[in-house]
Amino acid sequence: LQTRLQAGQGYGNTLSCVLTVYRNESVAGFFKGMSFPLASIAVYSSVVFGVFSNTQRLLSHFRHGDPAQAPALADVALASIVAGFISVGIGTPVELVKIRLQMQTQPYIEANIKLKPTVPGFPVYRGPIHCFRTVLQKEGIAGIYRGMGAMLLRDVPGYCLYFIPYTFFCSWINPDGCVSPSPSSIWLAGGVAGAISWVTATPMDVVKSRLQADGVHLNKYKGTLDCILQSYRNEGLKVFFRGVTVNAVRGFPTSSAMFLGYELSLKAMKRDQNETNP
């Protein structure tokens, strides 16, 4: 729904998008492009959280001489920025393949380009591997990383507004300074942080989606700035908030589950380490 609302045409609102997708593509339409993100989400999440955690530990080691020392707010912010940069290298190709698969049968507005290699309404790609290979052959590495600039502008501040609110809400829910917050505290803090992060990241998420969807049939945008200017000129400021409701609703449960899994995994590994090395 998010991709259709942000990069598609003819969807008035979220409910309209839901009904249109179901009417035209049945239930299967809601799961288009799911396989590639599903196959890579474990690697992606482990890298992002691993980079964030290890950067924090490294900063605590340099500042206090103790990697286990609670990080300062500046350390959390810097670790978030590093995690955001690293995430883009892994996430951009995955996002591009997902969006191309979701948008390949969608209508588009004609641009000033003579060639129309495919006809809207007919699939361009047979699946995620075929999509990746086709984009790589026709557009090269630059095509695989199309939208990387917009994704950097989305993820670097987005992860700051992901990890910092999470740290703040965990401390606020546990004012006694408990090192290990309860699962319910983690779930709530992670959900709120995820909703905040995705709502604030929506404008650049719209730009990223449009850039990555561009190229299925035509190349309309020359780059991030051109996409911003064209979108604003044609549809006004409101275009940058398309899909904000979907992002907020999605952000809470996914981030709750992500942080809960992360914290419980850390607890389990620490417990095993203590049992192995008493």
Side-chain angles (χ1 to χ4, degrees), residues 168-222:
F168 170 78
F169 282 116
C170 276
S171 301
W172 181 64
I173 294 171
N174 294 276
D176 56 351
C178 179
V179 177
S180 180
S182 65
S184 60
S185 299
I186 296 168
W187 182 86
L188 182 59
V192 173
I196 291 171
S197 176
W198 272 110
V199 167
T200 53
T202 296
M204 289 313 302
D205 192 40
V206 171
V207 176
K208 179 202 71 70
S209 296
R210 291 187 164 210
L211 282 168
Q212 293 184 325
D214 191 39
V216 176
H217 303 291
L218 299 169
N219 288 308
K220 184 181 178 183
Y221 307 114
K222 297 175 183 177

Side-chain angles (χ1 to χ4, degrees), residues 48-49 80 157-167 189-190 193-198 251 254-256 258-259:
V48 169
F49 277 86
S80 302
Y159 274 115
C160 287
L161 292 170
Y162 188 60
F163 289 113
I164 292 175
Y166 171 73
T167 304
I196 291 171
S197 176
W198 272 110
T254 55
S255 298
S256 294
M258 196 79 72
F259 276 110

